[in-house]
Amino acid sequence: MRQPRLAPVLRLYRSLAWITLGRLAEAEADLDAASVGEREPGIPALLGFDVMLHATRASVAALRGEVALVAASHVAALGSAEDDGLPFQALVAFVHGAAQHTWLHEWDQAEAFAARASALAQPFRIEYLEVLAELVAAGARMRREPDAEIDRFESLLCRRARLNEHSWDSLFLGWLAEAYLSVGDGRHARERIEAALAVDELSFRSECWRIKGHVLVATTAGEEAGACFARAVEIAEEQGARAFALRAATDWAAFLRAKRNRTKAVDVLERVIAAGPRP
């Protein structure tokens, strides 16, 4: 019997692994190959192949800061789910879309996507997806009302840990560090950002170093903060994550200006902006 042509599907799932490792060029190459590869009729549709292809491309685009491509990929992913009659894949696409908007700091869109994901999750009763959607929504609210949301966010993280689900833990712990910092709780901010950096997850390592820089500025003399911002820029540039690189460079430049080193601040921003388009 002839074997099904699953190479495009395998490339798609390998691209997800590349993203986790912070290797966006490899992820993009696998996505490009998967999109043109020969597929066995019926099998990719059954797996929600096109939905996941577009959703994964949106992840790469979000990390690269390509906002227009993120939006187009979301439309394509949700359109494919609707066309193929795949409500579960639509749920997954909304969960991923919510997270991707947070990477771009588009918090209102993230909250809207998370709300839609929560509604779609109810018939399936898949707890880890429900909790993930709730975490993204709570994270968005925590930006506006940290005092009201920190405890709930901590509780959701504990609930997720009991499910043995840890994807994006470093990002979520980084959000907590920022929230604690915003309410003047430096001790918990330091604990959460150190925990985030201890997570074996490379995708958000740049963001964690950037946040650590802010924690050090707020809780110590701050002399080591510059090295944290520099490390954040370095990692993001190595990964090709331009959204994170520009965010870290902007924060580093602000730190340098506060230290009256305006020349270096301008140099940092000019170099990072020249390396790629602005998100």
Side-chain angles (χ1 to χ4, degrees), residues 269-277:
L269 281 176
E270 286 183 343
R271 181 178 61 78
V272 174
I273 291 171

Side-chain angles (χ1 to χ4, degrees), residues 197-227:
L197 284 165
V199 175
D200 187 18
E201 187 173 50
L202 301 180
S203 307
F204 308 112
R205 188 62 54 84
S206 168
E207 279 288 88
C208 292
W209 278 108
R210 180 186 67 82
I211 294 167
K212 182 173 181 178
H214 285 291
V215 171
L216 290 178
V217 168
T219 60
T220 70
E223 296 305 323
E224 297 177 13

Side-chain angles (χ1 to χ4, degrees), residues 106-154:
E106 296 175 343
W107 299 103
D108 289 343
Q109 294 95 319
E111 194 169 2
F113 266 64
R116 182 64 177 140
S118 293
L120 286 171
Q122 291 178 8
F124 296 101
R125 299 193 178 280
I126 300 176
E127 189 175 6
Y128 84 91
L129 285 175
E130 292 174 356
V131 174
L132 187 55
E134 288 181 44
L135 270 169
V136 173
R141 291 192 300 270
M142 193 163 61
R143 295 274 159 171
R144 301 191 301 267
E145 302 175 290
D147 280 320
E149 292 293 334
I150 284 176
D151 287 345
R152 172 168 170 73
F153 199 87
E154 291 271 23

Side-chain angles (χ1 to χ4, degrees), residues 141-215:
R141 291 192 300 270
M142 193 163 61
R143 295 274 159 171
R144 301 191 301 267
E145 302 175 290
D147 280 320
E149 292 293 334
I150 284 176
D151 287 345
R152 172 168 170 73
F153 199 87
E154 291 271 23
S155 176
L156 285 168
L157 274 184
C158 291
R159 181 180 167 194
R160 205 169 77 118
R162 289 195 295 271
L163 298 172
N164 199 29
E165 178 62 35
H166 300 287
S167 56
W168 305 340
D169 266 3
S170 60
L171 183 67
F172 294 143
L173 288 165
W175 293 357
L176 270 174
E178 289 181 303
Y180 279 119
L181 203 59
S182 72
V183 298
D185 187 343
R187 180 175 67 84
H188 279 102
R190 287 193 300 272
E191 288 176 358
R192 295 302 179 269
I193 198 57
E194 292 301 337
L197 284 165
V199 175
D200 187 18
E201 187 173 50
L202 301 180
S203 307
F204 308 112
R205 188 62 54 84
S206 168
E207 279 288 88
C208 292
W209 278 108
R210 180 186 67 82
I211 294 167
K212 182 173 181 178
H214 285 291
V215 171

Side-chain angles (χ1 to χ4, degrees), residues 38-93:
E38 186 178 7
R39 312 177 200 171
E40 184 71 8
I43 290 180
L46 179 66
L47 297 173
F49 178 86
D50 288 324
V51 179
M52 289 306 300
L53 182 71
H54 294 305
T56 307
R57 196 174 290 282
S59 290
V60 174
L63 291 168
R64 290 194 182 284
E66 297 167 343
V67 178
L69 182 54
V70 173
S73 298
H74 287 163
V75 170
L78 296 169
S80 294
E82 183 177 357
D83 291 344
D84 293 335
L86 299 169
F88 178 75
Q89 278 70 23
L91 162 61
V92 173

